[in-house]
Amino acid sequence: MAYTNSDIENRARSLMSFSIPTESAGMLKAVCASAAAELESRLRKGVSSESIKELFVTAAGVLALSMYIELGGAATDRIGSFSAGNLSVSLDGGAVSASAASLRKYAERMLSAYIDGDGFEFVGVRG
């Protein structure tokens, strides 16, 4: 049986260390479909998502979490600095970007044996 976007969404939810607000559930569902489509498009010839179903669903779930965080669905900003005189607080948005990028790399590493490179190829190089 082939995977469904619900399989990916359930896997993403099981991997989360936070709960999704009801109003963000639609965003998670959308990024699950997008993550699956992105990874499907990068599979090498001869490899199907069905042949590596469990690994594919997990990697797509991790990639979906990355996308969800990138789109601001997760409240992961950290306080970067704080001062008491005239009260100044700044959020460290870099932590969000770093978390999302780390999850994306992890998803890609999970499927590294089955996906094409990052668009880098030697073309017309004489050896």
Side-chain angles (χ1 to χ4, degrees), residues 8-100:
I8 295 170
E9 184 179 355
N10 290 337
R11 187 66 48 91
R13 286 179 184 270
S14 73
L15 296 169
M16 283 189 228
S17 61
F18 54 90
S19 58
I20 294 182
T22 306
E23 62 273 7
S24 296
M27 184 190 310
L28 179 63
K29 188 174 294 249
V31 296
C32 286
S34 181
E38 179 180 330
L39 292 176
E40 283 271 358
S41 73
R42 295 181 58 196
L43 289 175
R44 290 187 178 144
K45 287 187 179 185
V47 177
S48 70
S49 56
E50 183 59 31
S51 66
I52 55 169
K53 180 183 174 183
E54 286 301 312
L55 183 60
F56 183 86
V57 167
T58 301
V62 171
L63 182 57
L65 288 177
S66 169
M67 293 172 163
Y68 180 78
I69 291 169
E70 285 174 333
L71 291 172
T76 57
D77 284 338
R78 306 277 193 268
I79 294 179
S81 65
F82 177 86
S83 52
N86 291 335
L87 189 63
S88 173
V89 176
S90 69
L91 297 177
D92 182 9
V96 173
S97 296
S99 294

XYZ file of all heavy atoms in Angstrom, residues 8-100:
654
model
N 2.398 10.889 6.514
C 3.498 11.834 6.738
C 3.149 12.791 7.872
O 3.969 13.060 8.743
C 3.820 12.598 5.438
C 4.358 11.626 4.394
C 4.825 13.727 5.701
C 4.492 12.197 3.014
N 1.920 13.270 7.887
C 1.494 14.177 8.950
C 1.553 13.490 10.314
O 2.037 14.067 11.296
C 0.082 14.683 8.676
C -0.402 15.696 9.683
C -1.798 16.222 9.392
O -2.378 15.874 8.338
O -2.301 16.979 10.236
N 1.095 12.250 10.381
C 1.146 11.504 11.650
C 2.588 11.292 12.103
O 2.893 11.395 13.293
C 0.430 10.167 11.516
C -1.068 10.327 11.387
O -1.629 11.336 11.810
N -1.717 9.353 10.781
N 3.483 10.999 11.144
C 4.895 10.811 11.492
C 5.486 12.121 11.993
O 6.216 12.149 12.984
C 5.663 10.297 10.277
C 7.090 9.908 10.528
C 7.249 8.684 11.445
N 6.423 7.574 11.087
C 6.767 6.584 10.272
N 7.955 6.545 9.744
N 5.921 5.612 9.995
N 5.175 13.230 11.314
C 5.681 14.542 11.739
C 5.201 14.861 13.150
O 5.991 15.295 13.995
C 5.237 15.628 10.755
N 3.931 14.628 13.409
C 3.385 14.901 14.751
C 4.057 14.026 15.812
O 4.307 14.476 16.919
C 1.881 14.679 14.773
C 1.097 15.760 14.079
C -0.405 15.456 14.122
N -1.174 16.428 13.385
C -1.670 17.538 13.912
N -1.473 17.814 15.181
N -2.364 18.368 13.168
N 4.369 12.785 15.460
C 4.999 11.897 16.439
C 6.439 12.308 16.738
O 6.968 11.961 17.791
C 4.947 10.445 15.958
O 5.851 10.233 14.898
N 7.065 13.026 15.820
C 8.446 13.461 16.011
C 8.557 14.804 16.723
O 9.647 15.202 17.123
C 9.160 13.559 14.655
C 9.327 12.244 13.896
C 9.800 12.513 12.477
C 10.295 11.334 14.626
N 7.451 15.512 16.871
C 7.468 16.858 17.460
C 7.630 16.823 18.969
O 7.126 15.934 19.629
C 6.157 17.577 17.165
C 6.042 18.093 15.803
S 4.583 19.109 15.738
C 3.846 18.473 14.281
N 8.322 17.843 19.449
C 8.445 18.005 20.900
C 7.495 19.096 21.380
O 7.574 19.537 22.512
C 9.884 18.359 21.268
O 10.251 19.575 20.661
N 6.597 19.542 20.502
C 5.623 20.573 20.841
C 4.303 20.201 20.179
O 4.262 19.376 19.280
C 6.088 21.954 20.355
C 6.428 21.997 18.881
C 5.470 22.316 17.937
C 7.715 21.703 18.437
C 5.781 22.343 16.587
C 8.031 21.732 17.092
C 7.062 22.053 16.157
N 3.224 20.781 20.657
C 1.926 20.486 20.043
C 1.541 21.633 19.111
O 1.912 22.778 19.324
C 0.857 20.278 21.111
O 0.756 21.426 21.914
N 0.806 21.276 18.082
C 0.415 22.257 17.072
C -0.895 22.912 17.479
O -1.871 22.211 17.779
C 0.245 21.567 15.713
C 1.586 21.063 15.248
C -0.354 22.499 14.691
C 1.559 20.408 13.920
N -0.925 24.237 17.455
C -2.202 24.914 17.723
C -3.223 24.537 16.641
O -2.857 24.301 15.490
C -1.855 26.404 17.635
C -0.370 26.481 17.709
C 0.161 25.165 17.233
N -4.464 24.482 17.004
C -5.521 24.087 16.074
C -5.510 24.935 14.809
O -5.686 24.419 13.712
C -6.895 24.204 16.771
O -6.856 23.459 17.980
C -8.006 23.686 15.886
N -5.235 26.220 14.941
C -5.258 27.111 13.783
C -4.086 26.868 12.825
O -4.102 27.326 11.692
C -5.294 28.592 14.202
C -4.101 29.065 14.995
C -4.194 28.852 16.498
O -5.156 28.206 16.964
O -3.307 29.326 17.199
N -3.071 26.127 13.248
C -1.917 25.833 12.395
C -1.966 24.435 11.779
O -1.069 24.060 11.038
C -0.620 25.963 13.197
O -0.436 27.283 13.621
N -3.012 23.684 12.070
C -3.103 22.312 11.566
C -3.130 22.270 10.042
O -2.531 21.392 9.430
C -4.332 21.620 12.136
N -3.799 23.218 9.428
C -3.852 23.276 7.965
C -2.488 23.527 7.362
O -2.164 22.998 6.291
N -1.662 24.334 8.048
C -0.310 24.611 7.559
C 0.524 23.343 7.575
O 1.249 23.048 6.625
C 0.368 25.691 8.404
C 1.744 26.063 7.869
S 2.742 27.131 8.946
C 1.640 28.440 9.341
N 0.423 22.559 8.647
C 1.184 21.308 8.714
C 0.753 20.361 7.600
O 1.585 19.755 6.939
C 1.036 20.639 10.073
C 1.791 19.319 10.212
C 3.303 19.532 10.078
C 1.460 18.640 11.521
N -0.546 20.256 7.376
C -1.053 19.375 6.325
C -0.506 19.792 4.961
O -0.081 18.953 4.170
C -2.581 19.406 6.309
C -3.215 18.392 5.393
C -4.722 18.394 5.547
C -5.110 17.934 6.890
N -5.757 16.702 7.058
N -0.463 21.085 4.699
C 0.035 21.592 3.412
C 1.525 21.310 3.236
O 1.959 20.907 2.158
C -0.242 23.087 3.295
N 2.311 21.518 4.286
C 3.750 21.289 4.139
C 4.080 19.803 4.054
O 5.089 19.440 3.459
C 4.593 21.995 5.244
C 4.454 23.499 5.148
C 4.271 21.492 6.624
N 3.225 18.947 4.584
C 3.442 17.503 4.431
C 3.323 17.116 2.963
O 4.152 16.355 2.445
C 2.443 16.715 5.275
S 2.814 16.749 7.045
N 2.325 17.642 2.287
C 2.158 17.368 0.858
C 3.327 17.929 0.071
O 3.861 17.287 -0.843
C 0.843 17.958 0.359
N 3.777 19.113 0.437
C 4.901 19.753 -0.246
C 6.200 18.987 -0.024
O 6.995 18.806 -0.954
C 5.041 21.196 0.243
O 6.087 21.841 -0.413
N 6.426 18.534 1.195
C 7.641 17.779 1.509
C 7.683 16.477 0.712
O 8.723 16.104 0.159
C 7.710 17.485 3.007
N 6.554 15.800 0.640
C 6.496 14.551 -0.121
C 6.784 14.806 -1.595
O 7.557 14.078 -2.224
C 5.133 13.897 0.042
N 6.199 15.865 -2.143
C 6.412 16.180 -3.555
C 7.874 16.528 -3.824
O 8.453 16.091 -4.832
C 5.513 17.343 -3.973
N 8.486 17.293 -2.919
C 9.899 17.660 -3.093
C 10.795 16.428 -3.089
O 11.660 16.264 -3.958
C 10.344 18.629 -2.001
C 11.796 19.024 -2.130
C 12.278 19.990 -1.052
O 11.470 20.800 -0.547
O 13.474 19.924 -0.715
N 10.586 15.558 -2.116
C 11.427 14.364 -2.034
C 11.155 13.394 -3.184
O 12.092 12.779 -3.703
C 11.244 13.677 -0.681
C 11.778 14.460 0.523
C 11.466 13.729 1.820
C 13.266 14.729 0.397
N 9.906 13.251 -3.579
C 9.572 12.386 -4.723
C 10.319 12.850 -5.972
O 10.833 12.040 -6.731
C 8.065 12.425 -5.019
C 7.214 11.629 -4.082
C 7.009 10.194 -4.506
O 7.500 9.785 -5.565
O 6.346 9.481 -3.747
N 10.377 14.168 -6.169
C 11.015 14.703 -7.375
C 12.525 14.489 -7.382
O 13.154 14.555 -8.436
C 10.710 16.196 -7.519
O 11.430 16.962 -6.563
N 13.106 14.236 -6.229
C 14.548 14.057 -6.127
C 14.990 12.596 -6.089
O 16.192 12.321 -6.081
C 15.059 14.792 -4.888
C 14.878 16.298 -5.011
C 15.391 17.042 -3.823
N 16.798 16.779 -3.599
C 17.430 17.062 -2.456
N 16.772 17.620 -1.469
N 18.704 16.806 -2.316
N 14.039 11.666 -6.060
C 14.408 10.246 -6.032
C 15.116 9.868 -7.321
O 14.753 10.319 -8.406
C 13.164 9.372 -5.834
C 12.522 9.406 -4.456
C 11.236 8.588 -4.457
C 13.471 8.909 -3.385
N 16.124 9.044 -7.186
C 16.860 8.554 -8.358
C 15.964 7.675 -9.214
O 15.004 7.080 -8.718
C 18.077 7.737 -7.916
C 19.136 8.573 -7.289
C 20.372 7.746 -7.022
N 21.385 8.625 -6.460
C 22.235 8.277 -5.541
N 22.237 7.046 -5.076
N 23.120 9.133 -5.095
N 16.329 7.567 -10.475
C 15.597 6.672 -11.373
C 15.695 5.257 -10.832
O 16.745 4.825 -10.372
C 16.173 6.732 -12.786
C 15.827 8.001 -13.505
C 16.274 7.953 -14.935
C 15.856 9.256 -15.597
N 16.141 9.277 -17.006
N 14.584 4.570 -10.883
C 14.551 3.195 -10.407
C 14.187 3.066 -8.939
O 13.990 1.967 -8.438
N 14.112 4.180 -8.211
C 13.740 4.163 -6.796
C 12.354 4.770 -6.676
O 12.100 5.858 -7.185
C 14.731 4.972 -5.930
C 14.273 5.000 -4.483
C 16.133 4.406 -6.038
N 11.463 4.069 -6.022
C 10.130 4.617 -5.783
C 9.939 4.839 -4.290
O 10.565 4.161 -3.465
C 9.055 3.653 -6.303
O 9.001 2.499 -5.497
N 9.084 5.763 -3.964
C 8.803 6.023 -2.553
C 8.180 4.787 -1.905
O 8.361 4.552 -0.717
C 7.889 7.227 -2.402
O 6.695 7.044 -3.129
N 7.482 3.996 -2.695
C 6.860 2.770 -2.180
C 7.904 1.739 -1.765
O 7.744 1.049 -0.771
C 5.925 2.173 -3.232
C 5.188 0.949 -2.779
C 4.305 1.166 -1.560
O 3.785 2.276 -1.383
O 4.156 0.216 -0.767
N 9.014 1.677 -2.513
C 10.043 0.681 -2.204
C 10.805 1.011 -0.917
O 11.419 0.141 -0.330
C 11.012 0.523 -3.379
O 11.757 1.711 -3.582
N 10.760 2.259 -0.498
C 11.424 2.691 0.744
C 10.415 3.419 1.634
O 10.737 4.407 2.283
C 12.645 3.591 0.439
C 12.252 4.794 -0.426
C 13.762 2.797 -0.197
C 13.330 5.856 -0.546
N 9.203 2.900 1.667
C 8.068 3.596 2.277
C 8.328 4.137 3.681
O 8.144 5.324 3.938
C 6.851 2.681 2.295
C 5.633 3.327 2.912
C 4.463 2.381 2.981
C 3.322 3.021 3.732
N 2.204 2.119 3.882
N 8.752 3.296 4.611
C 8.924 3.749 5.998
C 9.983 4.848 6.103
O 9.781 5.847 6.785
C 9.269 2.574 6.917
C 8.101 1.676 7.205
C 6.934 2.403 7.865
O 7.155 3.152 8.840
O 5.799 2.218 7.399
N 11.092 4.648 5.426
C 12.154 5.655 5.434
C 11.681 6.935 4.759
O 11.932 8.037 5.251
C 13.396 5.104 4.737
C 14.618 6.012 4.715
C 15.086 6.341 6.124
C 15.737 5.344 3.919
N 10.973 6.802 3.638
C 10.476 7.962 2.907
C 9.495 8.758 3.764
O 9.579 9.986 3.841
C 9.811 7.528 1.602
C 9.354 8.690 0.769
C 10.225 9.321 -0.106
C 8.062 9.170 0.873
C 9.821 10.406 -0.854
C 7.640 10.256 0.131
C 8.519 10.877 -0.750
N 8.559 8.076 4.409
C 7.557 8.754 5.242
C 8.228 9.487 6.403
O 7.875 10.623 6.721
C 6.494 7.750 5.740
C 5.629 8.339 6.841
C 5.629 7.279 4.575
N 9.230 8.872 7.008
C 9.939 9.526 8.111
C 10.703 10.747 7.615
O 10.631 11.826 8.226
C 10.902 8.540 8.801
O 10.144 7.433 9.291
C 11.639 9.198 9.953
N 11.431 10.600 6.514
C 12.187 11.735 5.966
C 11.246 12.861 5.549
O 11.529 14.034 5.793
C 13.041 11.281 4.787
N 10.123 12.523 4.934
C 9.155 13.546 4.539
C 8.554 14.227 5.766
O 8.313 15.440 5.765
C 8.059 12.936 3.674
N 8.338 13.480 6.832
C 7.842 14.071 8.079
C 8.830 15.044 8.678
O 8.464 16.131 9.145
N 10.114 14.690 8.650
C 11.161 15.584 9.168
C 11.255 16.839 8.293
O 11.345 17.956 8.797
C 12.524 14.854 9.243
C 13.651 15.812 9.562
C 12.467 13.742 10.282
N 11.213 16.653 6.974
C 11.262 17.793 6.069
C 10.035 18.681 6.261
O 10.141 19.915 6.239
C 11.361 17.329 4.615
C 11.464 18.436 3.565
C 12.662 19.341 3.823
C 11.540 17.830 2.175
N 8.877 18.082 6.487
C 7.662 18.862 6.741
C 7.805 19.705 8.012
O 7.387 20.865 8.043
C 6.452 17.942 6.845
N 8.416 19.145 9.042
C 8.656 19.916 10.262
C 9.567 21.105 9.978
O 9.350 22.205 10.476
C 9.263 19.038 11.356
C 8.328 18.030 11.990
C 9.089 17.176 12.998
C 7.172 18.735 12.664
N 10.587 20.882 9.152
C 11.479 21.964 8.764
C 10.702 23.084 8.079
O 10.863 24.263 8.394
C 12.576 21.436 7.837
O 13.291 22.499 7.249
N 9.855 22.703 7.145
C 9.056 23.691 6.414
C 8.083 24.406 7.347
O 7.889 25.616 7.249
C 8.283 23.011 5.284
C 9.151 22.469 4.193
S 8.136 21.495 3.047
C 9.230 21.412 1.639
N 7.489 23.662 8.247
C 6.546 24.230 9.213
C 7.236 25.283 10.077
O 6.718 26.371 10.287
C 5.972 23.101 10.073
C 4.979 23.538 11.112
C 3.671 23.827 10.768
C 5.354 23.640 12.448
C 2.747 24.220 11.723
C 4.442 24.030 13.408
C 3.140 24.321 13.041
O 2.236 24.710 13.993
N 8.439 24.970 10.540
C 9.203 25.917 11.356
C 9.597 27.137 10.534
O 9.470 28.271 10.992
C 10.440 25.230 11.966
C 10.008 24.218 13.030
C 11.398 26.248 12.551
C 11.110 23.301 13.515
N 10.054 26.908 9.284
C 10.444 28.014 8.418
C 9.286 28.975 8.169
O 9.486 30.181 8.058
C 10.956 27.497 7.073
C 12.333 26.899 7.132
C 12.741 26.269 5.802
O 11.856 25.848 5.028
O 13.950 26.205 5.556
N 8.091 28.433 8.059
C 6.922 29.269 7.786
C 6.364 29.935 9.043
O 5.378 30.660 8.972
C 5.830 28.434 7.118
C 6.155 27.980 5.700
C 5.100 27.000 5.208
C 6.254 29.172 4.773
N 6.983 29.690 10.165
C 6.564 30.364 11.389
C 5.470 29.649 12.148
O 4.844 30.243 13.020
N 5.239 28.393 11.843
C 4.196 27.651 12.528
C 4.571 27.267 13.944
O 3.715 27.055 14.774
N 5.869 27.205 14.218
C 6.314 26.811 15.557
C 6.896 28.012 16.280
O 7.681 28.761 15.723
C 7.367 25.716 15.457
N 6.491 28.181 17.498
C 7.018 29.283 18.292
C 8.356 28.852 18.875
O 8.440 28.381 20.002
C 6.046 29.645 19.409
N 9.413 29.006 18.079
C 10.719 28.540 18.533
C 11.709 29.673 18.714
O 12.886 29.437 18.883
C 11.308 27.525 17.534
O 11.369 28.143 16.248
C 10.475 26.271 17.471
N 11.251 30.929 18.635
C 12.168 32.041 18.864
C 12.664 31.993 20.297
O 11.935 31.653 21.215
C 11.474 33.386 18.625
C 11.289 33.685 17.155
O 12.030 33.105 16.352
O 10.416 34.495 16.831
N 13.887 32.339 20.474
C 14.501 32.386 21.799
C 14.858 33.837 22.108
O 15.115 34.617 21.208
C 15.786 31.555 21.818
C 15.629 30.129 21.349
C 15.124 29.243 22.484
N 15.256 27.842 22.161
C 14.314 27.116 21.593
N 13.188 27.662 21.248
N 14.487 25.846 21.359
N 14.907 34.154 23.372
C 15.329 35.500 23.738
C 16.822 35.583 23.508
O 17.601 34.801 24.041
C 14.978 35.818 25.206
C 13.462 35.852 25.359
C 15.622 37.120 25.639
C 12.973 36.120 26.745
N 17.224 36.525 22.633
C 18.625 36.703 22.290
C 19.316 37.639 23.252
O 20.492 37.490 23.541
N 18.597 38.637 23.726
C 19.177 39.563 24.705
C 18.057 40.197 25.517
O 16.902 40.210 25.090
C 20.002 40.639 24.001
O 19.178 41.451 23.205
N 18.424 40.695 26.671
C 17.459 41.306 27.573
C 18.171 42.378 28.365
O 19.292 42.190 28.801
C 16.909 40.221 28.516
C 15.955 40.741 29.536
C 14.616 40.866 29.233
C 16.383 41.109 30.802
C 13.721 41.326 30.172
C 15.494 41.586 31.750
C 14.162 41.685 31.429
N 17.574 43.537 28.512
C 18.160 44.563 29.375
C 17.063 45.186 30.216
O 15.921 45.289 29.781
C 18.898 45.623 28.544
O 18.084 46.136 27.540
N 17.384 45.584 31.432
C 16.378 46.075 32.359
C 16.134 47.575 32.248
O 15.010 48.020 32.350
C 16.789 45.723 33.787
N 17.181 48.379 32.020
C 17.005 49.828 31.876
C 16.263 50.148 30.587
O 16.705 49.812 29.506
N 15.088 50.754 30.670
C 14.217 51.039 29.528
C 13.760 49.771 28.808
O 13.434 49.805 27.625
C 14.870 51.990 28.529
C 15.029 53.390 29.092
O 14.280 53.784 29.991
N 15.987 54.122 28.586
N 13.752 48.674 29.483
C 13.288 47.367 29.030
C 13.421 47.136 27.529
O 12.692 47.659 26.724
C 11.829 47.161 29.436
C 11.311 45.742 29.202
C 12.066 44.749 30.056
C 9.844 45.668 29.486
N 14.372 46.318 27.160
C 14.616 45.967 25.767
C 14.802 44.458 25.664
O 15.677 43.889 26.305
C 15.870 46.690 25.274
O 16.211 46.257 24.003
N 13.979 43.806 24.884
C 14.065 42.373 24.670
C 14.182 42.139 23.168
O 13.466 42.747 22.388
C 12.802 41.647 25.196
C 12.857 40.172 24.887
C 12.627 41.888 26.676
N 15.094 41.264 22.755
C 15.164 40.919 21.334
C 15.108 39.406 21.195
O 15.650 38.675 22.017
C 16.437 41.473 20.690
O 17.573 40.811 21.176
N 14.423 38.968 20.160
C 14.294 37.542 19.904
C 15.363 37.102 18.935
O 15.725 37.823 18.009
C 12.909 37.236 19.322
C 11.736 37.549 20.238
C 10.423 37.264 19.522
C 11.804 36.750 21.522
N 15.855 35.907 19.137
C 16.893 35.350 18.287
C 16.241 34.544 17.176
O 16.016 33.353 17.302
C 17.830 34.475 19.126
C 18.972 33.895 18.326
O 19.147 34.304 17.171
O 19.693 33.042 18.872
N 15.932 35.207 16.061
C 15.324 34.534 14.923
C 16.269 33.560 14.258
O 15.852 32.671 13.533
N 17.577 33.723 14.476
C 18.548 32.817 13.890
C 18.385 31.396 14.396
O 18.696 30.439 13.693
N 17.884 31.242 15.607
C 17.671 29.905 16.163
C 16.608 29.167 15.351
O 16.712 27.963 15.135
C 17.254 29.994 17.629
N 15.600 29.895 14.881
C 14.543 29.283 14.079
C 15.122 28.797 12.759
O 14.909 27.661 12.348
C 13.392 30.286 13.832
C 12.382 29.722 12.856
C 12.728 30.643 15.135
N 15.869 29.661 12.086
C 16.460 29.294 10.799
C 17.415 28.121 10.945
O 17.435 27.220 10.108
C 17.204 30.489 10.196
O 16.294 31.518 9.926
N 18.208 28.130 11.987
C 19.172 27.048 12.210
C 18.455 25.731 12.478
O 18.866 24.680 11.976
C 20.108 27.397 13.358
N 17.390 25.766 13.245
C 16.634 24.548 13.530
C 16.017 23.978 12.265
O 16.082 22.776 12.017
C 15.518 24.833 14.539
O 16.061 25.191 15.782
N 15.415 24.842 11.468
C 14.784 24.398 10.225
C 15.825 23.830 9.265
O 15.611 22.783 8.654
C 14.019 25.548 9.575
